[in-house]
Amino acid sequence: DVIISEPTNPWVAGIAGVFSQEYYQTCRDHLAPGGLFVQWIQGYELEDATLFLMLETFRSCFSHVTLWNPAGPDIVMIGSKEAYRPDFARMELVFGSPKVRGDLQAFGVESVPALLATQMADFSSRPAAARWSESVHSDYFPILDFVAPRGFFVGSRARGARWIDARMSSPANARLWIQKYFAQSKAARQIGSCYRAIHRNGSLSPALAPAWAREWANAEPRSGDARNAEARELGFMEHGVWKRLPDEESKDPGVQAEARILRCKLRFR
């Protein structure tokens, strides 16, 4: 079974209680064998130390955890008291449901790889080797109640989450599910769908969309869409001048005209 917790920001009065060690322990004890607990954390209006406090509190109750970055600064933790592994065949089967596919496509997720591209760390089969914080948030020692409002008033953003985001690491070090999926699947990698999801929803790392654009262009060198994406994210050289394809969503008529010209040049290079 699955328990999903999506409370409001922890700096709101009374909300820190559903981020406490005791709350997680109660939820863990009510999970059936193989059950998962899903927790959303916002990365905005949050300091790095506060984020790592929340991660460590969660990890102290669920030793097997995966971390996901579905959009912008948002983080989703999926924890279990037992080791768990991805079932890609079942993922494909479930994604084939028109209702599920429609729900995910509304958020720009067009394929299973596009969903897997949001995973940022995998401790599902092996617990994290190091602690993320020296403290945990407890009902008996409610640290979060006092530190969370500081991030709200200062307007912080927890950029420290990038330190544990393995997507920009080498495949040997990252060990993410998407690499296992590509190794097992004989189908096309659908790299374009990964780029479109990251480009549309954003991510913790500004380098992620350019990385997917380059990967897509390398995998499909004859694809005009892939070359356009690479030019939009990384730019290209023309007559000794470095240019970058403007975002096609711009409302500025001048920018739209420049984008059309550059795309035409790219198409016939």
Side-chain angles (χ1 to χ4, degrees):
D1 59 348
V2 178
I3 298 176
I4 300 176
S5 177
E6 191 180 358
T8 187
N9 308 64
W11 45 259
V12 176
I15 297 300
V18 294
F19 289 99
S20 72
Q21 190 177 52
E22 289 75 18
Y23 173 75
Y24 289 142
Q25 289 171 344
T26 301
C27 293
R28 180 193 62 193
D29 295 342
H30 281 77
L31 282 175
L36 300 173
F37 185 87
V38 182
Q39 174 72 66
W40 168 81
I41 295 180
Q42 90 288 359
Y44 55 89
E45 298 173 349
L46 201 68
E47 294 180 315
D48 288 343
T50 306
L51 170 66
F52 288 122
L53 168 70
M54 297 169 73
L55 292 177
E56 181 59 28
T57 303
F58 188 85
R59 188 208 61 81
S60 71
C61 300
F62 300 98
S63 56
H64 299 277
V65 180
T66 54
L67 302 179
W68 305 76
N69 175 216
D74 289 344
I75 297 172
V76 171
M77 303 183 293
I78 302 179
S80 175
K81 52 188 175 182
E82 305 163 355
Y84 62 98
R85 291 175 175 80
D87 185 341
F88 298 128
R90 179 162 177 78
M91 286 184 187
E92 293 284 3
L93 181 65
V94 173
F95 198 88
S97 165
K99 184 176 181 180
V100 173
R101 182 181 291 272
D103 287 344
L104 290 174
Q105 285 181 340
F107 295 95
V109 178
E110 307 169 13
S111 65
V112 170
L115 178 62
L116 296 177
T118 65
Q119 187 187 36
M120 54 185 286
D122 177 24
F123 304 103
S124 58
S125 58
R126 65 192 194 290
R131 295 184 63 179
W132 290 321
S133 174
E134 295 181 355
S135 305
V136 297
H137 171 59
S138 167
D139 290 336
Y140 301 101
F141 196 65
I143 311 171
L144 190 60
D145 296 73
F146 299 97
V147 298
R150 185 170 56 200
F152 167 67
F153 285 109
V154 174
S156 301
R157 174 168 284 207
R159 302 188 186 279
R162 299 178 188 174
W163 301 339
I164 53 176
D165 190 343
R167 289 176 292 180
M168 299 306 294
S169 303
S170 66
N173 291 326
R175 300 178 182 178
L176 297 175
W177 288 2
I178 192 168
Q179 294 152 353
K180 298 175 183 178
Y181 177 89
F182 287 162
Q184 297 178 16
S185 177
K186 297 181 180 179
R189 289 192 174 190
Q190 298 176 291
I191 294 176
S193 67
C194 297
Y195 165 74
R196 287 189 291 271
I198 298 297
H199 176 71
R200 178 186 185 276
N201 297 324
S203 68
L204 286 167
S205 173
L208 199 59
W212 274 114
R214 174 165 289 173
E215 186 74 12
W216 185 19
N218 289 339
E220 301 180 40
R222 295 182 178 274
S223 168
D225 289 339
R227 294 177 66 184
N228 285 348
E230 184 182 35
R232 181 182 303 112
E233 299 292 344
L234 300 169
F236 62 97
M237 187 70 70
E238 183 182 56
H239 303 306
V241 178
W242 191 257
K243 295 188 176 183
R244 188 173 182 270
L245 192 65
D247 195 320
E248 60 187 353
E249 298 177 358
S250 173
K251 303 298 183 182
D252 188 327
V255 172
Q256 292 177 349
E258 183 182 1
R260 287 194 295 270
I261 293 171
L262 292 180
R263 286 196 189 88
C264 185
K265 290 179 178 179
L266 285 170
R267 191 170 293 114
F268 293 103
R269 291 180 75 183

